[in-house]
Amino acid sequence: MDKMKVSYEAMLGLAAEMTLDEAVLKFRSDRLYQAIDKALASGDKDTFRRLTDELKALNV
């Protein structure tokens, strides 16, 4: 019974970590999209390219 409890707790911990990772990734992606839109609107090509490269790396 103790072995099952340890396994269950490990699985819960893993699920919580995966959920947190997904939330952080979504938050960062949303921020990058906002910054990309701003750079595009202002015509800042260098910032646009840097941010889109960062977004691509994030989605790998």
Side-chain angles (χ1 to χ4, degrees):
M1 188 69 167
D2 272 345
K3 210 173 201 181
M4 277 186 66
K5 184 178 179 184
V6 170
S7 294
Y8 180 70
E9 288 174 354
M11 292 300 289
L12 281 178
L14 182 59
E17 187 176 341
M18 290 171 62
T19 302
L20 180 60
D21 287 347
E22 186 177 330
V24 169
L25 180 64
K26 181 171 178 4
F27 176 80
R28 185 66 185 135
S29 294
D30 290 347
R31 288 290 174 114
L32 281 170
Y33 278 118
Q34 290 174 1
I36 288 169
D37 287 345
K38 186 177 178 182
L40 191 59
S42 68
D44 187 350
K45 291 180 184 180
D46 292 332
T47 301
F48 174 80
R49 287 190 182 123
R50 181 179 54 80
L51 292 171
T52 53
D53 287 344
E54 192 174 335
L55 183 61
K56 288 176 192 174
L58 199 63
N59 290 326
V60 169

